[in-house]
Amino acid sequence: MTTSLLFLPGTLCDCRAWRPVADALRIDCKNTTPHYFVEYATISSIGEMAERALTYASGTVIPIGLSMGGAVALEMWRQAPHRIAGMVLCGTDASADTPARYAMRAEQFSIAMHEGLAAMLATVMDKYFVADSEDKLSALQRCAYGMAQQQGLPALIAQHRALTHRRDNWPWLSAMTAPTLILCGEVDTICPPEIHARMALCLPNSRYEIISKAAHLAPLQQPAQVAAY
């Protein structure tokens, strides 16, 4: 039976977060592999997101998760380890929510509620997501704004709740034997390289790669580099 790729987006993201990587993979003649862009905009639980993702394809799957999507990928393994042929975790933290991370999201949530999603993104783009030139910044901004506006405030509320109540996966990593590719933007300040290096040490069958000149949105910033791994 064919193994399917499941591209899992991050917070306020949709298929556009992973499409450049999927396009690069097709260029590499891997178009015979079924792939799906998973959507779970207003689901407010990581567990329910994982359940939804597992319905996209029958048989074995390889979850390819960005940020929150990485948390979903880990939960998919917990729910159905027999179906996980491998995983890709990009910009991912295996931890439960922390007070600092909650405070950061709460501040962003307040800005979005009072000033709009575009204003919220403007406050975080330079600090957390930008690693390269002004041209790439403007293209990245347009894509991030477009995805966020399409998702809307209901998605932000639901995803904030899901991230707040996500489980701590560190105790389980040593049992996750599926081959796992761990990717991190070299200047990712949301889920920094040291977290990814620690996950690589805990996961028994993992490979860890740094994506150069990339921050938290590495699949958008450096899709060819991500696809090459």
Side-chain angles (χ1 to χ4, degrees):
M1 182 178 292
T2 302
T3 296
S4 300
L5 307 180
L6 300 181
F7 290 94
L8 310 173
T11 306
L12 288 182
C13 293
D14 57 27
C15 64
R16 284 169 280 187
W18 279 114
R19 192 174 294 281
V21 173
D23 290 344
L25 289 172
R26 287 198 294 274
I27 290 172
D28 287 341
C29 301
K30 297 179 182 178
N31 57 323
T32 56
T33 302
H35 63 276
Y36 305 86
F37 297 104
V38 177
E39 302 288 352
Y40 36 62
T42 57
I43 297 176
S44 59
S45 159
I46 297 296
E48 291 178 16
M49 291 178 187
E51 290 175 10
R52 168 72 64 85
L54 287 165
T55 68
Y56 268 66
S58 59
T60 56
V61 297
I62 298 176
I64 303 173
L66 170 63
S67 192
M68 181 179 69
V72 175
L74 292 171
E75 179 63 23
M76 290 171 68
W77 186 93
R78 286 176 56 85
Q79 292 184 12
H82 60 286
R83 293 194 55 199
I84 307 303
M87 290 188 293
V88 179
L89 306 175
C90 182
T92 298
D93 186 345
S95 303
D97 204 19
T98 65
R101 195 68 62 82
Y102 179 88
M104 180 187 75
R105 287 199 317 276
E107 180 182 2
Q108 296 169 7
F109 182 79
S110 178
I111 294 171
M113 291 294 291
H114 293 96
E115 302 177 39
L117 286 169
M120 182 271 284
L121 286 171
T123 65
V124 301
M125 189 64 66
D126 288 346
K127 186 174 181 181
Y128 298 119
F129 297 113
V130 176
D132 216 315
S133 68
E134 290 185 1
D135 289 342
K136 284 194 175 183
L137 168 57
S138 61
L140 183 62
Q141 282 180 323
R142 288 194 297 272
C143 184
Y145 291 175
M147 289 190 293
Q149 294 290 355
Q150 183 72 32
Q151 298 286 295
L153 281 173
L156 180 63
I157 294 168
Q159 292 169 16
H160 174 72
R161 185 177 299 116
L163 289 168
T164 298
H165 298 290
R166 71 184 186 274
R167 71 171 77 247
D168 181 4
N169 281 295
W170 288 106
W172 300 91
L173 293 185
S174 62
M176 295 182 178
T177 56
T180 302
L181 174 62
I182 300 172
L183 302 175
C184 179
E186 67 174 341
V187 291
D188 188 342
T189 58
I190 295 179
C191 297
E194 54 265 29
I195 289 176
H196 293 77
R198 182 185 168 200
M199 285 196 299
L201 289 173
C202 293
L203 287 159
N205 191 10
S206 66
R207 173 186 171 192
Y208 173 41
E209 300 289 349
I210 291 284
I211 307 301
S212 62
K213 297 182 179 179
H216 194 56
L217 297 180
L220 279 173
Q221 292 171 304
Q222 302 293 345
Q225 202 179 145
V226 170
Y229 292 120

